[in-house]
């Protein structure tokens, strides 16, 4: 983790958007991420809270930070943002570029246990442990004030990381997340390839299954879903499953779900409600 290399830096809304690369021990290859740092974290070295954003299928570290419209709100609330890539790239795994739903850009944020993926596709460990340690050591970040959010596959990843690590995140949110991958075509296909045929092993990466047994500090969660989302109507996302599971027992999650009429699965949808999500996290990061 000592080979952190600055690729670019751009001034933006009283802060800087920087792109870095580094050699990852988790994925066995070079990884790339962006970080927005408010000026207070650069000039005065005052530590600021941090938000991690996980992107969806086919995306990379740039999609959200260039199209999501988050930076003005992050600057207003003095919050750093980290946007990692969605998978290893160029690892040389057989078949990694043969299917847009598998491999490159489609890690599903799991630690793969099956060949040929197991050596490189360790994105759960990369995001939860390696990347966050690197960020905490390299920037003026208050790692005790961390939250996470994401979109689609990244929404799935954000919910899973938050539910599997009670007390680590102050809040979690998602735009159109894949909520129940073990019962969805987006999930069953990938989990079988990455994790094997034993479906009992899949539950550790399924937000709906995890929320049933969550037993940590109260976790505020916000989910936005568009009713014109083609993947919502085709039952790939299944947010209602997550809602029912969260209400099935005395679980210390504080869930708010919103159905947004006329909105689809795109970044136009994400841009529209980004201010709400940043404000939601800002409130919880201040507590």
């Amino acid at each position: 983790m000592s080979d952190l290399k600055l690729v670019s830096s751009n001034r933006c809304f009283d802060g800087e958007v920087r792109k870095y690369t580094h050699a990852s021990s988790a994925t066995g290859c070079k990884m790339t991420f962006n970080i927005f740092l408010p000026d207070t974290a650069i000039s005065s070295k005052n530590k600021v809270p941090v938000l991690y954003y996980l992107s969806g299928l086919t995306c990379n570290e740039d999609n959200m930070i260039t199209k999501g419209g988050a930076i003005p709100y992050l600057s207003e609330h003095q919050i750093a943002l980290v946007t990692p890539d969605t998978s290893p790239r160029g690892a040389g795994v057989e078949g990694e570029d043969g299917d847009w739903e598998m491999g490159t850009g489609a890690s599903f944020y799991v630690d793969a246990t099956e060949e040929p993926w197991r050596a490189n596709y360790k994105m759960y460990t990369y995001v939860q442990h390696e990347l966050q340690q690197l960020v905490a050591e390299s920037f003026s970040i208050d790692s005790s004030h961390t939250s996470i959010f994401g979109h689609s596959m990244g929404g799935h990843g954000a919910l899973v990381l938050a539910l599997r690590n009670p007390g680590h995140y102050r809040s979690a949110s998602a735009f159109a997340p894949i909520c129940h991958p073990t019962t969805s075509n987006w999930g069953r296909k990938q989990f079988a390839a990455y994790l094997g045929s034993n479906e009992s092993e899949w539950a550790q990466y399924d937000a709906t299954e995890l929320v049933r047994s969550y037993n940590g500090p109260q976790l505020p969660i916000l989910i936005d879903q568009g009713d014109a989302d083609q993947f919502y109507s085709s039952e790939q996302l299944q947010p209602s499953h997550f809602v029912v599971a969260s209400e099935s027992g005395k679980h210390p999650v504080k869930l708010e779900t919103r159905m947004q009429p006329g909105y689809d699965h795109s970044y136009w949808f994400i841009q529209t409600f980004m201010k709400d999500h940043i404000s939601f996290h800002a409130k919880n990061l201040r507590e």
Side-chain angles (χ1 to χ4, degrees):
M1 293 192 293
S2 61
D3 72 333
L4 187 65
K5 295 180 181 178
L6 179 65
V7 176
S8 62
S9 179
N10 298 94
R11 188 105 181 111
C12 190
F13 287 98
D14 298 319
E16 293 179 12
V17 176
R18 300 177 182 178
K19 182 186 291 290
Y20 288 93
T21 62
H22 70 103
S24 167
S25 58
T27 67
C29 65
K30 183 174 73 174
M31 296 297 292
T32 307
F33 68 91
N34 293 309
I35 185 168
F36 169 73
L37 291 167
D39 279 346
T40 53
I42 300 170
S43 57
S44 65
K45 301 298 183 181
N46 287 341
K47 290 190 174 184
V48 297
V50 61
L51 256 174
Y52 286 84
Y53 179 90
L54 306 184
S55 289
L57 282 164
T58 75
C59 293
N60 59 28
E61 73 279 0
D62 291 332
N63 294 75
M64 184 274 195
I65 208 161
T66 58
K67 298 193 293 185
I71 296 176
Y73 311 120
L74 294 163
S75 180
E76 175 187 349
H77 292 288
Q78 295 294 286
I79 298 171
L81 171 73
V82 179
T83 63
D85 204 347
T86 50
S87 75
R89 290 184 190 268
V93 177
E94 183 180 358
E96 67 182 351
D97 295 319
D99 182 346
W100 70 275
E101 295 180 322
M102 287 284 301
T104 302
S107 72
F108 270 72
Y109 302 101
V110 305
D111 280 353
T113 57
E114 299 297 302
E115 298 294 350
W117 312 103
R118 61 185 300 172
N120 303 99
Y121 278 68
K122 303 288 188 183
M123 286 297 289
Y124 176 88
T125 291
Y126 173 71
V127 174
Q128 179 63 30
H129 300 294
E130 185 177 15
L131 178 62
Q132 293 191 40
Q133 181 181 347
L134 176 61
V135 167
E137 292 175 349
S138 304
F139 307 102
S140 294
I141 297 300
D142 182 357
S143 57
S144 69
H145 289 72
T146 300
S147 290
I148 192 166
F149 67 148
H151 170 231
S152 193
M153 178 187 74
H156 140 77
L159 294 174
V160 166
L161 264 66
L163 291 165
R164 282 187 59 176
N165 295 277
H168 182 79
Y169 298 99
R170 297 296 182 99
S171 52
S173 73
F175 302 94
I178 302 170
C179 288
H180 204 181
T182 59
T183 65
S184 165
N185 289 334
W186 271 358
R188 293 191 62 81
K189 170 184 175 179
Q190 292 84 356
F191 285 7
Y194 294 143
L195 304 173
S197 59
N198 183 357
E199 296 189 19
S200 66
E201 297 294 320
W202 299 2
Q204 64 183 311
Y205 297 109
D206 187 313
T208 294
E209 300 304 320
L210 289 168
V211 79
R212 295 187 205 277
S213 57
Y214 180 79
N215 189 27
Q218 187 178 74
L219 176 65
I221 298 174
L222 171 65
I223 295 176
D224 271 313
Q225 174 65 60
D227 70 359
D229 185 330
Q230 68 272 35
F231 303 115
Y232 170 67
S233 59
S234 64
E235 291 293 313
Q236 297 281 49
L237 307 177
Q238 302 176 340
S240 63
H241 294 202
F242 186 80
V243 173
V244 171
S246 71
E247 296 173 345
S248 63
K250 293 184 177 180
H251 305 295
V253 298
K254 184 180 179 182
L255 176 63
E256 179 183 1
T257 59
R258 308 189 305 185
M259 184 63 69
Q260 304 295 356
Y263 285 91
D264 59 19
H265 201 71
S266 71
Y267 267 88
W268 302 115
F269 159 60
I270 294 170
Q271 280 185 41
T272 304
F273 301 103
M274 181 60 72
K275 181 179 180 180
D276 292 352
H277 283 246
I278 301 299
S279 296
F280 167 78
H281 290 297
K283 175 181 180 295
N284 289 290
L285 285 166
R286 284 194 297 267
E287 295 179 351

